[in-house]
């Protein structure tokens, strides 16, 4: 069995890799929490790349229902076809479209299924998936068919902790909180994306970045914003010494007017 590893674009802590391996061995969903920019979504991409598997992504919105990930019965298309005399309109299977979870169950090989930002949906959403996540099957009453997973997918679920998840759901998951990377880890992350970046520029950028994060800001800069910022500094030919006194391209790091004003005053 292939081992999970960091990839060239994603540096994971040894602890996170161990937890991911445990969830895989126990065949349980891995629930990942952490503030935005800690690499929750990219973890699923890295797992799929590391194991040579296909990644299927189910992006959750406030209007998403559990059945959306299983299947959708397109009654409108069937009605339209019946009005225009299309053949095969009595074959309901033609109008059943599998969602991302359904596709993962039907896949010919094991895949990685990412259920991204589950806390955006309503409170009942996680509970509505308990049976499917436990049994790896669901029933389609329109066709009287049970869809069972050919190969149990590796399920990774992310949450920004916008709302609490039900206890019954949490009991079925392996949980891990991704702490924000410290400076040495962040240096590895930046180097993975920009290996040729000037060392002095990176050192000064990291010093400014963590100084900003230590302040009381409405929106602290995240990893993705740091990556954009160091690229902007490099493209702009900014002298590393300048970073000791000023904050060039501050709008790349800070996205709130109040934060920009506060930093400007200081």
């Amino acid at each position: 069995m292939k081992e999970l590893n960091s990839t060239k674009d994603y540096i994971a802590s040894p602890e996170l890799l161990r937890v991911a391996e445990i969830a895989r061995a126990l065949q349980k969903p891995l629930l990942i929490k952490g503030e935005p920019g800690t690499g929750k979504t990219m973890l699923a991409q890295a797992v799929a790349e590391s194991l040579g598997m296909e990644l299927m992504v189910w992006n959750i919105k406030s209007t998403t229902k559990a059945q959306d990930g299983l299947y959708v019965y397109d009654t409108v298309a069937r009605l339209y076809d019946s009005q225009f005399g299309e053949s095969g309109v009595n074959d309901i299977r033609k109008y059943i479209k599998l969602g991302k979870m359904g596709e993962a169950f039907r896949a010919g090989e094991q895949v990685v299924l990412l259920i991204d930002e589950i806390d955006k949906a309503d409170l009942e959403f996680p509970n509505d998936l308990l049976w499917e996540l436990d049994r790896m099957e669901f029933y389609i009453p329109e066709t009287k068919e049970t869809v069972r997973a050919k190969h149990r997918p590796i399920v990774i679920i992310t949450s920004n902790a916008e709302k609490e998840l039900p206890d019954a759901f949490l009991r079925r998951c392996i949980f891990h909180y991704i702490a924000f990377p410290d400076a040495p880890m962040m240096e590895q992350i930046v180097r993975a994306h920009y290996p040729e970046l000037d060392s002095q520029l990176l050192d000064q950028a990291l010093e400014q970045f963590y100084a900003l994060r230590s302040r009381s800001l409405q929106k602290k800069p995240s990893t993705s914003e740091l990556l954009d910022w160091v690229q902007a500094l490099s493209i702009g030919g900014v002298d590393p010494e300048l970073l000791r006194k000023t904050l060039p391209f501050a709008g790349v790091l800070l996205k709130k007017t109040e934060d920009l004003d506060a930093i400007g005053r200081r």
Side-chain angles (χ1 to χ4, degrees), residues 185-204:
M185 175 66 77
M186 188 63 80
E187 182 177 356
Q188 292 183 53
I189 293 171
V190 176
R191 283 292 180 200
H193 288 81
Y194 307 117
E196 304 300 324
L197 190 67
D198 178 76
S199 296
Q200 189 178 359
L201 180 66
L202 177 55
D203 290 344
Q204 292 301 321

Side-chain angles (χ1 to χ4, degrees), residues 10-23 29-35 38-40 43 156-161 165 170 173-180 185:
Y10 184 81
I11 306 299
S13 67
E15 181 185 8
L16 176 56
L17 291 175
R18 285 196 297 270
V19 171
E21 283 283 16
I22 289 171
L30 175 59
L31 174 61
I32 299 292
K33 286 188 179 182
E35 67 176 271
T38 50
K40 300 185 297 296
L43 170 64
I156 297 176
I157 304 169
T158 70
S159 170
N160 288 325
L165 299 173
L170 294 174
C173 299
I174 302 298
F175 173 75
H176 183 76
Y177 181 85
I178 300 183
F180 198 84
M185 175 66 77

